[in-house]
Amino acid sequence: MPGRPSGLAPEIAARLKRDANGLIVAVVQQYDTGEVLMVGWMDDEALHRTLTTGRTTFWSRSRRTYWVKGETSGHRQWVKEVRLDCDGDTVLVRVDQEGPACHTGARTCFDQGLLDVEGNA
């Protein structure tokens, strides 16, 4: 559960700016193409597990438990690099994605909803 003690290094934990639920945003990107695949949520323990196992681990806000991407679907993410943003409230997780990243079966969660931007015609 977010906020519980974790194995995350204290010097990393001190840099995190968590929301009211103890979570930070994790943006997942394909390491070699730069394609943004998905967004998830992490607490300190999920980040610790991601850094130490090389597999993306998230906190499920709906199920209130940890989950490892691809554990049941086989669509695994192999972590290549993790970066903390300048504000400490978001991590960029660069991965090698096996199969689709989106739960809908799409390669990315961001290919279904291109929105028009006024002035960009």
Side-chain angles (χ1 to χ4, degrees):
M1 159 181 303
R4 73 180 184 98
S6 84
L8 187 63
E11 62 273 12
I12 297 173
R15 296 174 60 193
L16 299 180
K17 183 178 178 185
R18 301 158 197 81
D19 71 5
N21 296 310
L23 301 171
I24 60 171
V25 175
V27 177
V28 181
Q29 180 184 48
Q30 177 64 34
Y31 84 100
D32 54 353
T33 65
E35 179 181 32
V36 177
L37 300 172
M38 60 175 286
V39 173
W41 294 91
M42 292 183 178
D43 67 354
D44 289 24
E45 180 60 19
L47 180 56
H48 169 69
R49 292 179 188 189
T50 297
L51 293 170
T52 58
T53 67
R55 299 279 308 282
T56 48
T57 303
F58 302 97
W59 174 257
S60 171
R61 296 175 300 164
S62 59
R63 295 185 308 253
R64 306 209 39 86
T65 191
Y66 295 103
W67 62 280
V68 177
K69 180 65 177 171
E71 196 169 55
T72 56
S73 69
H75 303 147
R76 293 175 286 272
Q77 295 174 342
W78 302 100
V79 178
K80 299 292 188 177
E81 178 181 276
V82 179
R83 294 176 179 243
L84 183 60
D85 82 332
C86 60
D87 295 323
D89 61 0
T90 305
V91 290
L92 176 64
V93 184
R94 295 175 45 106
V95 303
D96 190 11
Q97 175 71 44
E98 281 184 17
C102 188
H103 70 278
T104 65
R107 168 77 181 157
T108 171
C109 294
F110 294 97
D111 67 352
Q112 299 296 313
L114 182 61
L115 306 176
D116 291 331
V117 178
E118 290 185 34
N120 276 352

